Amino acid sequence: MIIEEGFTMKILIAPDSYKECLSAMRVAECMADGLQTSIPGVEVMLRPMADGGEGTVDALIYGLNGKKEEIHTVDMYRRPLTTYYGKLNDTTAVIEVANIIGMEVTRARNPYLASSFGVGDVIRQLIERGYKKVFVGLGGSLTNDGGAGLLEAFGLQFLDEKSEKLVINGGNLSEIRAIKGQLIPALKAIELHLICDVTNPLTGEHGATYTYGKQKGIEEEEMKAFDDSIASFAVKLEQHLNVQCHHIEGAGAAGGIGYGLLCAGAVMHSGAEYIADIVLKDLDLKTFDYIFTGEGKSDFQTQYGKLPVCVANRGNEAGVRTILVSGGLGTNYETLYDNFLSIHSITDGPMSLDDAIDNAERLIRNACRNIGRLLK
């Protein structure tokens, strides 16, 4: 496309975050900086995206003109924590697991002591504040307690063999001998919508522990014990609540937090698609000349429901070409050419992962500046 006099190029910038590096908003801002450097008068619109993990609150706040609100709770080790949620309107809020019990809070990993209690506590407080609909981004948890901790915050009591109350964490699920109490009645008066980018069941070979346990600090030889403990807990819980949720796709998300919330009446949604429906809803994509998206690393797995392909598919349906700019490119990334006009890594020479992370903002700007020169 050659820019003619009087023509203004219009670009939508809708990336995911670069995990453990930059937020989706910061990635979008750096992309915009690079494009504006090389394309005179370019009109950019930023729509930072998410798939249910880190950045979910920011994406929905930005896309729906919401605002951040402070809230006090506890982290995965039940230490006092001040965090935030998104107020989208007077009756709708969004939270993400990552900034309550995830890597946004600490990098310390102890799956035996980590609990999802804080997530349940935040939801309970939101109910008390009058919210009627709560979106929950499930990615980024450092817990593996099957959601038992959040159910404790919702009113259930877990008893050991001496009928004494357990303070639940990932390491003592096997000690549960009985469950007492009921979920707080206020849960029936709200809508809980789970935003999730995985389809794993609660237990088994493809469940929470075996799939994601390693990144939460569970050693290979400990996997079976953790998985068995969650399975045993689930049997008791489903008998107590008279539900059947362990088999539902996404129940294994966030160390089983998906399961706990499903048992409390929540509805599961596909992360990238659901957020795209919300954040891009008001845009006429046909009015854009190009769409830019990206993620921390793109490879053949990106085509299986990951956010960049979700964005590209919507662009293709509208006849708008999408350009992928990611932190790195991995195995068989070439399979993505059916979705994208072009595919780019931000690295501009041999470098370590640490160097790429440290220089990510500059590298994104430079990559988009160079792409912009080609588009111009």
Side-chain angles (χ1 to χ4, degrees):
M1 177 181 292
I2 298 175
I3 296 180
E4 299 175 359
E5 187 176 350
F7 174 83
T8 299
M9 188 180 291
K10 188 175 179 182
I11 296 176
L12 173 64
I13 301 177
D16 198 352
S17 65
Y18 283 18
K19 298 291 188 293
E20 299 185 44
C21 178
L22 294 176
S23 69
M25 173 56 78
R26 193 67 194 121
V27 172
E29 290 170 341
C30 292
M31 287 181 171
D33 287 346
L35 290 168
Q36 289 168 331
T37 298
S38 55
I39 306 177
V42 64
E43 182 179 330
V44 297
M45 177 173 288
L46 277 55
R47 278 290 194 272
M49 303 292 285
D51 57 12
E54 299 93 328
T56 297
V57 170
D58 289 337
L60 292 184
I61 285 176
Y62 196 84
L64 299 177
N65 295 315
K67 63 179 182 178
K68 285 186 179 180
E69 296 280 356
E70 189 175 90
I71 195 164
H72 303 284
T73 184
V74 294
D75 69 7
M76 65 285 282
Y77 304 122
R78 303 198 186 222
R79 301 173 300 195
L81 174 71
T82 298
T83 186
Y84 62 90
Y85 68 94
K87 179 178 181 178
L88 304 182
N89 56 50
D90 288 342
T91 60
T92 306
V94 55
I95 68 172
E96 60 187 56
V97 164
N99 67 21
I100 303 171
I101 54 168
M103 290 188 64
E104 290 187 28
V105 178
T106 179
R107 291 182 178 271
R109 291 167 169 78
N110 188 330
Y112 289 96
L113 296 180
S115 166
S116 59
F117 183 91
V119 174
D121 179 59
V122 168
I123 294 172
R124 181 187 56 76
Q125 290 187 59
L126 293 178
I127 294 172
E128 293 172 353
R129 295 186 184 190
Y131 291 99
K132 301 300 182 184
K133 180 186 290 186
V134 178
F135 296 109
V136 183
L138 289 180
S141 156
L142 286 181
T143 62
N144 199 77
D145 69 351
L150 72 89
L151 293 171
E152 183 184 354
F154 285 168
L156 296 187
Q157 295 182 23
F158 302 97
L159 308 180
D160 64 13
E161 60 183 6
K162 297 179 181 179
S163 296
E164 295 179 350
K165 183 181 175 182
L166 290 165
V167 177
I168 283 295
N169 52 47
N172 64 11
L173 296 182
S174 62
E175 299 176 30
I176 297 173
R177 295 295 178 268
I179 302 175
K180 285 182 59 178
Q182 296 298 321
L183 299 175
I184 54 177
L187 281 170
K188 296 179 180 179
I190 70 162
E191 297 178 26
L192 282 175
H193 295 275
L194 310 184
I195 306 174
C196 173
D197 68 342
V198 304
T199 58
N200 305 81
L202 180 63
T203 57
E205 180 184 358
H206 302 292
T209 302
Y210 281 101
T211 306
Y212 305 106
K214 185 175 181 180
Q215 66 194 42
K216 300 173 189 212
I218 301 175
E219 300 295 336
E220 192 67 36
E221 63 272 16
E222 300 171 319
M223 296 284 184
K224 186 176 187 304
F226 271 96
D227 191 58
D228 288 348
S229 293
I230 291 179
S232 174
F233 155 69
V235 170
K236 297 180 179 68
L237 179 69
E238 295 190 357
Q239 289 175 345
H240 183 73
L241 295 180
N242 192 28
V243 297
Q244 290 285 325
C245 296
H246 64 278
H247 62 287
I248 297 176
E249 288 190 352
I257 290 175
Y259 172 70
L261 290 171
L262 287 166
C263 288
V267 178
M268 185 73 72
H269 302 278
S270 172
E273 294 289 347
Y274 194 61
I275 288 183
D277 284 341
I278 296 171
V279 174
L280 302 180
K281 179 180 177 181
D282 63 329
L283 299 182
D284 182 359
L285 296 184
K286 295 190 297 293
T287 64
F288 293 92
D289 298 294
Y290 296 99
I291 299 173
F292 275 62
T293 188
E295 60 185 342
K297 182 179 180 180
S298 296
D299 56 25
F300 72 97
Q301 297 180 77
T302 297
Q303 64 190 304
Y304 300 118
K306 295 294 186 181
L307 188 138
V309 164
C310 171
V311 170
N313 288 344
R314 288 164 191 256
N316 290 333
E317 289 171 5
V320 183
R321 292 164 291 185
T322 302
I323 295 170
L324 179 67
V325 183
S326 293
L329 301 177
T331 305
N332 293 330
Y333 74 86
E334 298 91 346
T335 59
L336 300 175
Y337 279 119
D338 287 342
N339 303 98
F340 299 96
L341 172 64
S342 60
I343 299 171
H344 307 266
S345 167
I346 64 170
T347 55
D348 56 6
M351 64 179 64
S352 68
L353 176 60
D354 287 342
D355 285 342
I357 289 174
D358 290 343
N359 293 282
E361 293 190 0
R362 175 182 63 81
L363 293 170
I364 293 170
R365 289 192 194 97
N366 287 349
C368 289
R369 181 189 64 195
N370 289 333
I371 296 167
R373 290 178 64 84
L374 286 173
L375 298 182
K376 183 179 70 171

